[in-house]
Amino acid sequence: LQAVEAPPQPVGEIIRELGLPGLYQGALVTASRDVPSVAVFFVCYEAMKLYLSNNGTIPLGPTDTLLAGLLAGIPSAASVTPMDVVKTRWQAKGGTKKYKSPIDVLKRSVEEEGIMVLTTGWLPRCLRIAPQLAITLTVFEWLAPGSGH
């Protein structure tokens, strides 16, 4: 998570400044962050559930699914932090005026601030996203039809 000085803009102001496509500014870069994040999460989540259930021989309780979700959320959030940095800078007010494209954001950020800029905010991301995913999946697992609960 990064501090951004841009206050939320009303939809009309966005359309006036950027046109209708401005409403979708950053949609592709957001998807390029979120799709891999979800893939990493579910692979790790299922692996953790298998591990905690001794390959399916021990039934899992809510504490187990909470732990599996928490541990899966960490690599999920951390692995896409570089793309989150790019997305945040691209979508920030003035991002499309300062940069030509998300690739330009990446290149210039690394050139100007060094490669470690791509790790900016990894810990707050993990501290927010891992518990959120853990709680969401635990509730889902226990409310889903056929879960036996």
Side-chain angles (χ1 to χ4, degrees):
L1 300 174
Q2 298 177 10
V4 178
E5 295 180 16
Q9 293 179 306
V11 173
E13 187 178 333
I14 293 170
I15 293 171
R16 273 192 304 284
E17 285 184 25
L18 304 171
L20 197 54
L23 294 176
Y24 301 96
Q25 176 181 318
L28 185 59
V29 74
T30 299
S32 64
R33 176 202 62 185
D34 290 352
V35 170
S37 176
V38 170
V40 169
F41 174 77
F42 279 108
V43 167
C44 293
Y45 180 67
E46 290 300 322
M48 284 304 306
K49 284 184 5 184
L50 276 174
Y51 176 77
L52 293 171
S53 69
N54 196 24
N55 285 323
T57 60
I58 301 169
L60 296 178
T63 304
D64 300 312
T65 56
L66 191 67
L67 179 61
L70 188 65
L71 294 175
I74 295 168
S76 171
S79 65
V80 296
T81 296
M83 190 48 94
D84 190 59
V85 171
V86 171
K87 178 206 73 74
T88 301
R89 290 176 179 212
W90 179 244
Q91 288 183 315
K93 185 171 178 117
T96 57
K97 293 176 182 144
K98 183 176 180 181
Y99 303 104
K100 297 175 192 166
S101 68
I103 297 295
D104 186 43
V105 173
L106 176 64
K107 286 179 183 175
R108 288 181 45 199
S109 295
V110 170
E111 285 171 3
E112 295 168 10
E113 301 173 59
I115 193 74
M116 293 306 290
V117 72
L118 299 178
T119 65
T120 303
W122 75 269
L123 184 58
R125 274 181 57 74
C126 290
L127 292 175
R128 181 188 66 80
I129 291 170
Q132 172 190 340
L133 291 173
I135 292 166
T136 301
L137 265 290
T138 298
V139 170
F140 173 79
E141 293 272 3
W142 291 90
L143 294 179
S147 68
H149 305 286

